[in-house]
Structures are given as C-alpha cells and as structure tokens.
C-alpha cells in the first residue's frame, strides 16, 4: 500500500511557491504516482456527487460543478505534462506509460456515466429556455457534444469497446513520442575540427556545447535538434556528412529495434478508423474535423489541394535552379535532398548578396525576447518583468510577471528556450494554469518551450530568422492564453477550434518583420 496523500497540502496540488507557482524544489519525481492516484479518486468522488444529486439539473449544480471539479487533478497533470515534454527522464517516462491509459480510463468513465450525461442532456434539450449568456451556451453545447463524441450515446458494448480503444490509443501515443525522443537523444554525430568546413562560429559553439553535454568535451556534435541540424545542413561543405545527418533526421522512429514506430503507427491507424466508425463517422478525419470550423475533410481538401499543386510547381522550378548552382560548383553527383538547404543558401547569397550566417549576429535571443514583449506592450498595454532566482522545472526556464497597464498582475509567463536531451523537439505553448473567472477564479500561468542551441557560458544565444519567427509565433499563442478574459475554464485561451488556434500566433509572427519592431 502506498502512503496516503493529503491533496490539500501536497506541493503538486497546493501551489505555495514564489508568485503562487508550484514549489518545484519540493516536488520529487516519485511524487507523481501516488498524487495522481489520490487526485483521480478525488475527482471521481466529485463526479459521483454531481451525477447523484437529487435536485433537478441546473447550470450551477451540473455544468459549473463539472467544470470546477478535479482541481487537484488539473494541478498535478499540468506539472506532469510539462515535465514529460520539457524535462523528462526514465522515471517520468515510466510514469507517463502508466498514467496515460489510467487517465484515458478515467475520462472515458466520466463521458460514459449515464446519470451524468442525462443531467447534461436535460440542460442541453432545454437550452433555449434557460436564457443563457452566449459564453455559457457555448460551454453547454461544447460539453454536450464532447460527451456524445466520447460515446455517451453508444450502447453498453459500444461504450466498452470505445473505452478500450481510447486506452490503447493513449498508450500508443505515449510510446510514439518516447520512441522519437529516444532516437533524437541517442543519435549524435561527433566531429573534429577538420570536419567543420563551411560552418559559421555560432554553430561551432553550439555543436561544442552539445558534444560536452554528451560527455565528449573538445569535440563537436551534430544532433537532431533543429537548431543544430538545420544550420549544419545549410552550411556544411561536407556532402557526405550532410547525407548522414539528413538520413538520421528523417529516420527518427524508423530505425528498427525497440524504438521503431512502424507497428505503433499501423495499430493507431487501425484503432482510429474503428473508433470513427463506432461513433458514426466515415473516417477518423471526419471525426476530428466535425468540431472545427472547416467541418469536413472535403472542405480541407478544397483549400489545400490547389495550394499543394502550386507549391509543387514552385518547388520543381526551385530545384532546377539549385541543380544549376550545384553543377557550377563542380558537383557531378545527382542532386539529393541533403543538397537542398546547402544550395538554397548559396542561391540566396547570390541573389541578395548576404548570407544567413552574416545576418544571424543581429538576432540575439535577448533582443528578440525584448522585441516580442515590446510589441505586446504597444498592442495590448501589458508588460513583462523578469523574476530571477525562482526554481521551476529546469534552471534554464525563466519566470516573468505579466502586468496590466495599471500595474496590476495579470498572470505569469514562463519560458524555457534551450534544447537539451531531456526535452522533446519542436516548440510549443502550454499552461500550468488557465485563466478563468468561475468559482474562485484563476490567473493564467502560461509557458513557452523552444529548442534553440544553447551557447557556451558567457556567450549570447543567436537565432536564425526562422527561429526568431518561431519565438514570435509561440509567444502569440502565449498571449492568447494570457489575454484570455472568460468565465468558464473550458473555453479559456487556446481552447478554441483547432483551425482558429493558429490565427493569433500567425498574426503575431508577422510583427517580427515590421521595421518599427
Ligand atoms: Zn502554432
């Protein structure tokens, strides 16, 4: 038996660190398991109470009660998924494999709770006579639809099968991500001074740092982190090394052995198709798109196909020009994928008389962050104040207080910019806490995670134009989370249609190239 957990006092669920953050210094990797179990049980008890309420269903006793239930589970989950993405290890990964199917089972049981759905359905059928404000109506409709899409209307056999499918899919999803991370973490190409022809200084520094992180001080590592892989394939004069790196990059999760994803993908596709059919959709795409603005796969194709054809034509024309450059440079090899970035850079240098490595020193990470904050201040009146010395999930992660124009605190913004082997690749925004007003309300605690190459101690981190764009883009998502002004937690910030969610971030990206910024 595990020892009893007091959710009202545990640092994972009662956040009493600096600025109201969780006190990360008191959280151990082994805490997650028992706290998850206790939080799941507490949430289940709340759900049972709502479903078993003898009073007639009302917005307060059903919809609001459901939204506010599970606070401890939300708290432990948000910290756990932050760690699983941004700073994982063997203990966290093992816990992820255990917790994913458990969570799936838990939420399936809620969606398929007949008494609970009967109460939601009662409110939904009476929605026009309830005189709801637009936000509450939207939450009610979204909740009802969520139950139906999760199988609330299936018969007993259908419910059982769907719960099993969901559980298996969540395990497969975890396995997929862990396999990719394993290949990224385990693969590195160690080089020496003589192999570095063409590489700019910022990249050599980053590769030296990456080699040292992997225990090979004095050498240089090509890793599969984009911030190293991409400039390496852009600048390396060594075609043979570019080929090795390219092949490793595209083969992530496909290298045979324990971390190979081929079977995982096949099983996922099969289960997704079965799930869609069970819920009455023609395909998994149709199920996925049903609650988005696009609605159907046909609408998506109508938009994408013409763009795809134009893009293909353009790419073919580009390749012709790159082949010409390669021939002029004396290459008699057949033009290959690992030549693309390299000659694209040469073409750009020829056309515009500058190269990326020359432009790069202008994009210091600190200046780009300042520019990001400055645009937010000018557009929305909010400002950012860094608080040093606060322990969060990793020493590289930084904490900023977000302030309204009148100086009051709006929320917190956390940012974790540098790549490391314990972090999955890519860039993302998420929340430790979403902002909302219902019940006692909560201030948003939003974070961005990036994978920029870490400079050696004392040197400034430098970003490519693409990386700076990524920073602006993810900061746009973060703003969406920080500027949110809603009552209901389930519609806070980026909890919008999948095909609306990219609008604020893409608009924000655009500001990077505005001269006044
Ligand atoms: Zn995005």
């Amino acid at each position: 038996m595990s020892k009893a957990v007091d959710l009202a006092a545990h640092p994972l669920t009662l956040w009493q660190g600096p600025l109201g953050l969780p006190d990360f210094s008191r959280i151990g990797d082994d805490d997650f398991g028992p706290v998850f179990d206790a939080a799941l049980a507490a949430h289940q008890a709340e759900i049972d109470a709502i479903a078993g309420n003898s009073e007639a269903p009302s917005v307060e006793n059903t919809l609001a009660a459901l939204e506010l239930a599970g606070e401890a589970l939300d708290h432990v989950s948000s910290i756990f998924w932050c760690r699983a993405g941004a700073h994982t290890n063997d203990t966290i990964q093992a816990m992820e494999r255990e917790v994913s199917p458990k969570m799936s089972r838990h939420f399936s049981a809620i969606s398929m709770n007949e008494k609970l759905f009967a109460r939601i359905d009662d409110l939904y059928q009476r929605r026009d006579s309830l005189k709801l404000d637009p936000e509450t109506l939207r939450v009610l409709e979204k909740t009802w639809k969520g139950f139906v899409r999760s199988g609330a209307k299936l018969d007993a056999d259908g419910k059982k099968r769907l719960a099993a499918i969901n559980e298996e899919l969540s395990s497969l999803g975890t396995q997929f991500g862990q396999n990719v991370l394993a290949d990224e973490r385990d693969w590195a190409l160690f080089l020496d001074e003589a192999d570095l022809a063409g590489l700019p200084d910022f990249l050599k520094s980053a590769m030296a740092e990456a080699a040292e992180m992997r225990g090979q001080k004095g050498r240089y590592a090509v890793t599969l982190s984009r911030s190293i892989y991409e400039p390496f394939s852009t600048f390396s004069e060594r075609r043979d090394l570019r080929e090795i790196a390219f092949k490793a990059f595209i083969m992530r999760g496909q290298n045979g052995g324990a971390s190979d994803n081929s079977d995982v993908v096949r099983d996922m596709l099969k289960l997704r198709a079965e799930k869609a059919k069970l819920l009455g959709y023609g395909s998994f795409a149709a199920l996925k798109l049903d609650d988005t603005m696009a609605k159907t796969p046909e609408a998506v194709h109508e938009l994408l196909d013409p763009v795809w054809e134009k893009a293909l034509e353009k790419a073919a024309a580009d390749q012709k020009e790159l082949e010409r450059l390669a021939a002029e440079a004396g290459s008699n090899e057949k033009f290959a994928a690992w030549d693309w970035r390299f000659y694209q850079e040469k073409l750009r240098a020829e056309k515009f008389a500058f190269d990326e490595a020359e432009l790069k020193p202008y994009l210091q990470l600190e200046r780009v962050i300042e520019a990001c904050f400055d645009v937010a201040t000018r557009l929305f009146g909010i400002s950012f104040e860094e608080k040093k010395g606060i322990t969060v999930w990793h020493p590289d992660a930084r904490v900023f207080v977000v302030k309204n124009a009148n100086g009051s605190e709006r929320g917190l913004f956390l940012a974790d910019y540098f790549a490391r082997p314990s972090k999955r690749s890519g860039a993302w925004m998420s929340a430790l806490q979403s902002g909302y007003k219902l019940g006692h309300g909560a201030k948003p605690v939003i974070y961005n995670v990036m994978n920029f190459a870490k400079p050696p101690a004392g040197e400034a981190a430098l970003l490519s134009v693409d990386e700076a764009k990524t920073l602006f883009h993810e900061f746009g998502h973060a703003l969406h989370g920080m500027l949110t002004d809603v009552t209901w937690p389930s519609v806070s910030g980026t909890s919008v249609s999948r095909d609306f969610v990219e609008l604020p971030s893409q608009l924000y990206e655009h500001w990077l190239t505005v001269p006044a910024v």
Side-chain angles (χ1 to χ4, degrees):
M1 283 295 287
S2 58
K3 59 180 173 1
V5 171
D6 182 3
L7 293 176
H10 197 281
L12 274 170
T13 45
L14 179 70
W15 293 2
Q16 285 191 317
L19 304 172
L21 283 166
D23 186 350
F24 281 87
S25 68
R26 289 174 55 215
I27 297 171
D29 292 351
D30 295 326
D31 289 343
F32 288 105
V35 173
F36 259 119
D37 286 343
L40 283 164
H43 190 213
Q44 189 58 53
E46 287 173 290
I47 295 296
D48 291 343
I50 299 167
N53 193 335
S54 56
E55 288 166 36
S58 69
V59 167
E60 288 67 34
N61 73 20
T62 301
L63 196 62
L66 187 61
E67 287 262 327
L68 293 173
E71 190 178 47
L73 186 58
D74 286 345
H75 278 181
V76 58
S77 298
S78 67
I79 298 175
F80 180 73
W81 295 114
C82 171
R83 282 290 310 274
H87 191 38
T88 192
N89 59 32
D90 290 345
T91 309
I92 298 287
Q93 289 205 327
M95 183 48 49
E96 202 183 343
R97 291 190 294 271
E98 191 185 315
V99 114
S100 297
K102 246 188 215 177
M103 292 281 267
S104 169
R105 223 173 300 150
H106 176 74
F107 285 104
S108 284
I110 293 175
S111 313
M112 296 174 190
N113 183 320
E114 282 173 22
K115 279 192 197 159
L116 182 61
F117 179 63
R119 294 178 74 84
I120 295 287
D121 192 42
D122 174 76
L123 289 173
Y124 179 77
Q125 302 305 338
R126 293 190 286 125
R127 64 192 180 284
D128 292 333
S129 63
L130 292 173
K131 300 198 173 60
L132 303 175
D133 62 86
E135 189 188 326
T136 306
L137 180 62
R138 163 110 178 104
V139 171
L140 175 57
E141 288 172 347
K142 213 180 143 185
T143 305
W144 183 85
K145 200 153 194 193
F147 271 81
V148 173
R149 285 165 56 83
S150 308
K153 289 186 154 183
L154 294 177
D155 63 17
D157 283 349
K159 280 183 173 140
K160 212 172 138 197
R161 180 60 195 147
L162 183 61
I165 291 174
N166 284 339
E167 195 175 324
E168 221 175 314
L169 277 174
S170 71
S171 288
L172 288 168
T174 300
Q175 208 184 329
F176 183 94
Q178 293 191 353
N179 285 343
V180 173
L181 185 66
D183 280 7
E184 282 173 358
R185 190 192 48 208
D186 297 345
W187 193 91
L189 177 62
F190 292 99
L191 303 177
D192 296 304
E193 199 70 50
D195 306 315
L196 307 183
L199 304 187
D201 287 342
F202 77 84
L203 179 56
K204 288 186 202 167
S205 302
M207 287 167 62
E209 179 72 20
E212 193 176 336
M213 254 190 240
R214 287 164 178 76
Q216 299 239 20
K217 196 170 159 60
R219 303 190 75 194
Y220 300 86
V222 183
T223 68
L224 297 180
S225 161
R226 272 180 196 279
S227 57
I228 288 184
Y229 166 74
E230 286 184 358
F232 182 80
S233 33
T234 302
F235 295 113
S236 175
E237 309 269 353
R238 289 279 299 275
R239 190 170 194 267
D240 56 332
L241 300 179
R242 293 201 310 267
E243 180 177 352
I244 295 171
F246 176 85
K247 288 183 171 163
F249 192 75
I250 61 160
M251 290 301 284
R252 288 171 299 165
Q254 225 184 319
N255 285 309
S259 64
D260 193 289
N261 268 332
S262 309
D263 289 351
V264 176
V265 170
R266 196 201 50 219
D267 292 349
M268 275 176 127
L269 291 176
K270 229 166 64 190
L271 289 166
R272 284 175 170 190
E274 189 188 344
K275 174 175 175 170
K277 204 171 151 211
L278 201 53
L279 290 166
Y281 292 88
S283 66
F284 186 72
L287 166 65
K288 261 318 230 198
L289 289 166
D290 187 43
D291 67 345
T292 64
M293 296 192 300
K295 291 272 179 244
T296 64
E298 291 71 31
V300 170
H301 278 295
E302 246 166 68
L303 180 72
L304 273 189
D305 292 352
V307 176
W308 171 242
E309 279 157 29
K310 286 270 175 303
L312 265 186
E313 279 169 30
K314 178 79 175 64
D318 283 357
Q319 183 169 336
K320 279 228 157 56
E321 231 183 324
L322 298 180
E323 281 169 349
R324 169 187 64 82
L325 269 183
E328 280 173 19
S331 164
N332 40 28
E333 311 271 1
K334 190 170 166 359
F335 193 82
W338 45 92
D339 293 321
W340 193 281
R341 283 177 191 279
F342 182 74
Y343 287 107
Q344 204 173 30
E345 183 55 28
K346 296 257 179 283
L347 180 66
R348 198 150 60 144
E350 180 188 276
K351 269 193 179 157
F352 303 108
F354 75 81
D355 61 45
E356 167 112 343
E358 262 173 54
L359 183 64
K360 190 141 181 167
Y362 296 105
L363 295 174
Q364 288 191 14
L365 172 64
E366 291 310 310
R367 300 290 88 76
V368 177
I369 295 170
E370 275 170 27
C372 239
F373 288 170
D374 186 51
V375 173
T377 304
R378 285 196 257 167
L379 289 179
F380 306 110
I382 57 172
S383 58
F384 297 79
E385 189 188 318
E386 182 158 16
K387 295 283 179 192
K388 302 244 185 200
I390 296 178
T391 304
V392 283
W393 58 88
H394 186 275
D396 283 346
R398 297 159 66 170
V399 179
F400 302 86
V401 175
V402 187
K403 291 188 169 162
N404 290 310
N406 66 8
S408 62
E409 189 186 316
R410 172 159 206 109
L412 299 175
F413 173 61
L414 281 59
D416 181 3
Y417 292 113
F418 298 128
R420 55 179 169 263
S422 66
K423 195 189 268 188
R424 77 173 156 85
S425 59
W428 64 95
M429 163 273 187
S430 191
L432 285 181
Q433 172 71 62
S434 326
Y436 63 87
K437 288 180 272 196
L438 193 69
H440 55 67
K443 284 182 184 168
V445 180
I446 307 295
Y447 63 92
N448 273 170
V449 181
M450 309 280 151
N451 268 288
F452 303 142
K454 189 174 180 172
E459 285 182 32
L462 300 174
L463 306 187
S464 70
V465 174
D466 275 351
E467 287 173 325
K469 244 190 213 170
T470 301
L471 192 148
F472 264 70
H473 178 102
E474 294 306 329
F475 188 72
H477 285 307
L479 274 177
H480 193 176
M482 292 183 282
L483 293 169
T484 196
D485 185 29
V486 300
T487 300
W488 296 82
S490 68
V491 288
S492 177
T494 49
S495 302
V496 292
S497 274
R498 189 68 192 84
D499 46 358
F500 176 77
V501 76
E502 292 303 324
L503 183 67
S505 52
Q506 292 190 10
L507 287 177
Y508 209 75
E509 217 179 273
H510 159 79
W511 287 96
L512 172 65
T513 50
V514 172
V517 176

